[in-house]
Amino acid sequence: MKTIAFFNNKGGVGKTSLVYHLAWMYARLGVNVLAADLDPQANLTSMFLDDGRLEPLWPEDGERGTVYGALRPLLEGTGDVGNPHVEEPEPGLGLVVGDLRLAMAEDELSSQWPACLDKKPRAFRVLSALPRILSRAADRVEAKLILVDVGPNLGAFNRAALVTADSVVVPLTPDLYSLQGLRNLGPTLRRWQNEWEERRERNPVADLAVPEGTMRPIGYIVMRHAVRLDRPVKAYRRWMSRIPAVYRAAVVGDPLLSEGTTTDNDPHCLATLKHYRSLMPLAQEARKPMFALKPADGAIGGHAAAVQGCYRDFRALATTVATRVGLRAHDGQSWGPRRSGESASRESPVPISFRPLGPAAEPPPEGKSLTPARMADLAHDLEEVIAKIEAWGIAVPGSSRLPRTAGHLQQVASAQSFPESREGLLKIAHAARDAQEFTNIGGMLPQHPLKPIVETLSRAVGGTIGRTRHQAYRAQSELWVGAALSCAGVSVGVLTRPDGVGPDYIVQNDGKEYAIEVKRITSGGNVRKRVSKAAKQVGDSRYDGGALAVDLTDWLPSDLTLRFAPGPPDFTGPRMPIARRLDQLRKEIFDDQANRIRPGRMHLIAVTAFARFIHWDLADLSQMHLTRYIAPLWFWQSGKDRRDHRARWLAELLNDGARNIGYQDLGAEEISFRDPGA
């Protein structure tokens, strides 16, 4: 059993919310966990329990079902610690209820600290009381992990609370106060650890379980950093750049810092978490973690996409923290969510033969490698998306892409291995890509069906594997861009008309509307036709500008889109197919000789292209990577007014949305022109 305290003597850094969400995440990942509210403010308890449940646990007179209730007999001298009451919000998740009366224990804990040096038995009973209470509570829920929330101060009660901890995580906000808090916290932790070690050796009670109290700092988490697009705003960037050096000097005790170290590459940085401003009110009202919000809770449109991003962030953080403290999930198996029930019965895919896996390799960053456990997660997520689509009244035939995709992924998960044949690898690769993208798309869907989305979804999910492939994948490209726009946090309208004349998406910003058209180019011969049609579709006088999003996947050589070879796809070779395709696309919009946008293309003030690559390393079949890129962006100033930044805004909007759902940059490129022309 591991005990982790979340501590910073600066308040308002989001540590209580962090403990709350991590506790729920570990429970979802199948790790029995105990959340302990040792902050006299009891904010963690208020997040778990409503007033109606909490009031009976806090009676004016009588036994209190809180941590103070278990501590009270020892403090009053009527006995040893009592058996703690444990709330169980769900199986595998326990809560030791906090209490405002914990502040009354401060004086007693303060006076007993020096008494330990005199080997007084009562002093050791008092100072080991909190660890013993938490140990008994953990036994109640068979917890492998205890997460402790403590108050923001360096007083005697927090010192006693920190004695319970094997490890300490420091939540931070990028500001002056957190940096000063770090400078106070580091030396204090080291002093408490040394003083407790000295006292432990003097314990006179042989049968008294006294904790080791190692209080080992395992890293920091940057919380609530303000972000514009994918970058912290200027006011915060300054403080974020100083965090690694201050943490290393004050907490680790090592003043030497490698040049170029930032929060992005600092090994002591466990995560940088966004401030999910729009989700927290919904989560508080629903009394559930942000990543568990459903459309019925109000998480629709952009909120639904943010919920998925929140889930990915906290899952990655939970895995990182568990690894740092040496906790292994599922008795050494891969991390994976609890399963509740089985998916609906559907036509089974054709069986694939499998070969045994070799020793597990060191896992790459989340989202890049698809292990058998990850395949199981994808299959489960895809079943949820199918259920949501069918709830709209859209029939998903058992022989069509999505059910068969889920079946292929479940085969890998069941066999704990990957296919032997190239054909089998091909099926799994496409299945994994479809599952990832439709999971993102499912999070984008609004709560109530919209006719244009219903029509596009029907095309995308109704096709079989092999037949109607292009129609299904064209629809998937449109839906993917919609998901990216929703992830970028803008108001998106879907205005595709049955006659195909209107644009695919309308983005609303500052009272203006911008049209976005999605095209899938399959060969060099149809580039001009596609670009010309897109320019007409976004050129309606009602729109303030337009953008073209191009899916290049079908226009790239097959050895790049699906590569079975060691090493990543080579984008720097002599052929450079991506660069040539992009340049051909650019020349259909801009005339290099005349140095101006071509006539009939003026409405396309922003252009972006994306592509999806699958790479499977034949040297290690456990390492399949879905590498998804958004290609360089082009944008132009609209008209002659250089203060008009609509093009840049649209291009950054598309790029930001793509990053949020897992795409990587090939390298954004800004192309400026002296005069766009008339």
Side-chain angles (χ1 to χ4, degrees):
M1 184 173 62
K2 308 291 183 180
T3 302
I4 308 173
F6 292 77
F7 181 48
N8 192 331
N9 71 305
K10 194 269 182 186
V13 296
K15 65 175 175 54
T16 299
S17 175
L18 184 63
V19 173
Y20 175 78
H21 283 86
L22 279 176
W24 278 102
M25 178 55 72
Y26 281 119
R28 297 292 173 91
L29 293 176
V31 179
N32 286 13
V33 61
L34 178 72
D37 190 353
L38 299 188
D39 183 351
Q41 298 180 78
N43 289 327
L44 180 64
T45 297
S46 68
M47 295 186 75
F48 275 104
L49 308 178
D50 59 25
D51 292 349
R53 176 60 193 137
L54 187 55
E55 188 174 8
L57 301 175
W58 281 3
E60 285 295 324
D61 300 310
E63 186 175 345
R64 297 171 75 89
T66 67
V67 63
Y68 179 79
L71 190 62
R72 184 175 179 178
L74 182 61
L75 295 177
E76 294 181 349
T78 60
D80 200 359
V81 293
N83 291 320
H85 170 76
V86 179
E87 287 286 308
E88 294 189 56
E90 74 168 27
L93 171 58
L95 169 68
V96 176
V97 180
D99 198 319
L100 274 65
R101 291 188 180 181
L102 283 176
M104 299 166 61
E106 184 84 15
D107 290 344
E108 179 70 5
L109 291 167
S110 177
S111 64
Q112 297 301 335
W113 185 258
C116 287
L117 296 175
D118 296 329
K119 299 184 178 182
K120 293 183 178 180
R122 174 171 169 75
F124 283 92
R125 292 192 184 279
V126 170
L127 289 171
S128 66
L130 291 175
R132 289 186 288 133
I133 290 172
L134 297 190
S135 178
R136 294 181 187 181
D139 290 342
R140 297 274 296 275
V141 292
E142 299 180 350
K144 294 182 179 179
L145 190 62
I146 302 176
L147 306 182
V148 181
D149 183 27
V150 295
N153 64 72
L154 300 177
F157 186 88
N158 275 2
R159 180 175 57 194
L162 266 292
V163 165
T164 68
D166 305 307
S167 307
V168 177
V169 172
V170 183
L172 297 168
T173 52
D175 55 35
L176 172 63
Y177 304 99
S178 280
L179 292 183
Q180 185 58 51
L182 275 182
R183 295 187 180 100
N184 297 339
L185 180 131
T188 301
L189 278 180
R190 287 195 295 274
R191 188 180 76 250
W192 285 353
Q193 182 184 19
N194 293 335
E195 291 177 353
W196 179 245
E197 181 63 26
E198 181 183 4
R199 283 157 174 76
R200 283 184 70 246
E201 295 174 355
R202 305 189 182 201
N203 176 23
V205 187
D207 61 345
L208 182 64
V210 176
E212 293 185 6
T214 53
M215 310 180 208
R216 179 176 64 92
I218 61 170
Y220 62 88
I221 300 169
V222 183
M223 302 283 291
R224 299 185 177 184
H225 62 293
V227 171
R228 183 187 184 278
L229 298 181
D230 68 319
R231 302 173 299 279
V233 296
K234 184 176 180 180
Y236 286 84
R237 195 181 308 147
R238 166 187 167 202
W239 301 112
M240 288 184 71
S241 66
R242 295 172 62 180
I243 288 174
V246 175
Y247 181 88
R248 186 178 291 263
V251 180
V252 181
D254 178 9
L256 298 178
L257 183 69
S258 301
E259 186 176 352
T261 300
T262 67
T263 53
D264 293 329
N265 57 24
D266 184 5
H268 298 293
C269 181
L270 302 175
T272 55
L273 297 181
K274 295 179 182 179
H275 189 323
Y276 292 97
R277 293 180 177 86
S278 60
L279 296 184
M280 186 56 78
L282 297 177
Q284 289 173 337
E285 185 176 353
R287 206 165 290 278
K288 61 172 60 172
M290 294 183 290
F291 53 73
L293 291 170
K294 301 294 184 183
D297 303 315
I300 59 177
H303 284 149
V307 167
Q308 288 193 343
C310 183
Y311 178 88
R312 289 193 297 268
D313 288 345
F314 275 98
R315 175 168 178 163
L317 175 59
T319 304
T320 300
V321 170
T323 302
R324 293 286 177 95
V325 301
L327 180 70
R328 305 183 70 183
H330 299 301
D331 297 323
Q333 298 302 314
S334 301
W335 293 81
R338 298 177 188 271
R339 301 295 180 212
S340 56
E342 298 180 354
S343 57
S345 175
R346 295 180 180 276
E347 179 181 332
S348 300
V350 177
I352 301 173
S353 59
F354 294 88
R355 69 175 63 175
L357 285 177
E362 184 71 18
E366 175 73 17
K368 289 191 176 182
S369 176
L370 292 170
T371 62
R374 176 64 177 143
M375 297 291 192
D377 288 349
L378 284 173
H380 178 263
D381 293 342
L382 187 58
E383 287 289 350
E384 289 189 346
V385 172
I386 294 173
K388 186 172 185 178
I389 292 171
E390 290 180 333
W392 276 18
I394 299 174
V396 182
S399 59
S400 65
R401 321 167 43 214
L402 299 192
R404 293 178 68 83
T405 285
H408 288 316
L409 300 180
Q410 287 166 349
Q411 284 184 0
V412 173
S414 299
Q416 284 291 297
S417 182
F418 290 96
E420 293 181 323
S421 66
R422 182 185 177 94
E423 180 184 3
L425 292 174
L426 184 76
K427 289 181 180 180
I428 298 301
H430 282 295
R433 193 183 77 183
D434 277 3
Q436 278 200 335
E437 296 203 347
F438 268 97
T439 297
N440 292 326
I441 290 167
M444 177 267 297
L445 298 177
Q447 187 172 9
H448 302 292
L450 297 176
K451 185 177 179 181
I453 298 182
V454 170
E455 294 171 352
T456 306
L457 269 175
S458 297
R459 294 198 307 273
V461 306
T464 59
I465 296 178
R467 289 186 300 150
T468 66
R469 171 178 176 272
H470 291 294
Q471 182 186 38
Y473 277 90
R474 278 198 300 270
Q476 186 170 335
S477 293
E478 295 174 11
L479 289 169
W480 180 86
V481 172
L485 291 170
S486 295
C487 283
V490 296
S491 176
V492 181
V494 185
L495 300 182
T496 303
R497 300 190 182 99
D499 58 11
V501 175
D504 290 309
Y505 296 96
I506 302 298
V507 177
Q508 299 168 352
N509 180 54
D510 240 1
K512 296 181 179 180
E513 291 187 340
Y514 303 89
I516 296 181
E517 178 62 26
V518 185
K519 296 297 182 187
R520 190 176 181 98
I521 296 177
T522 57
S523 67
N526 69 351
V527 177
R528 177 170 299 178
K529 179 180 178 181
R530 291 287 188 181
V531 171
S532 176
K533 185 174 182 180
K536 291 178 182 178
Q537 288 174 298
V538 304
D540 192 305
S541 59
R542 63 172 288 193
Y543 306 130
D544 294 281
L548 169 62
V550 183
D551 185 346
L552 295 172
T553 303
D554 283 352
W555 194 21
L556 295 174
S558 59
D559 63 335
L560 277 178
T561 54
L562 183 60
R563 179 183 174 90
F564 294 98
D570 181 12
F571 301 119
T572 60
R575 294 171 61 204
M576 289 196 68
I578 296 177
R580 290 193 298 144
R581 301 297 195 271
L582 290 171
D583 194 53
Q584 185 175 347
L585 174 63
R586 183 186 67 81
K587 288 178 179 178
E588 287 300 330
I589 300 168
F590 190 82
D591 187 334
D592 289 321
Q593 292 183 345
N595 194 31
R596 71 173 199 175
I597 299 175
R598 294 185 183 277
R601 309 286 196 264
M602 285 295 296
H603 298 293
L604 296 176
I605 64 176
V607 182
T608 187
F610 64 90
R612 295 155 283 193
F613 307 99
I614 303 171
H615 163 236
W616 207 311
D617 190 343
L618 291 180
D620 181 2
L621 292 182
S622 69
Q623 301 301 309
M624 185 184 81
H625 302 261
L626 294 186
T627 310
R628 305 185 294 174
Y629 290 99
I630 183 164
L633 304 166
W634 295 285
F635 49 89
W636 294 270
Q637 300 290 59
S638 178
K640 296 182 181 296
D641 185 354
R642 296 299 176 181
R643 294 171 299 177
D644 188 344
H645 298 294
R646 293 178 298 173
R648 181 187 296 271
W649 177 81
L650 269 176
E652 289 187 342
L653 173 73
L654 286 170
N655 198 18
D656 183 48
R659 285 194 196 100
N660 282 342
I661 64 172
Y663 274 61
Q664 304 169 4
D665 284 321
L666 277 174
E669 180 180 347
E670 177 181 340
I671 301 178
S672 302
F673 300 101
R674 292 186 299 274
D675 185 353

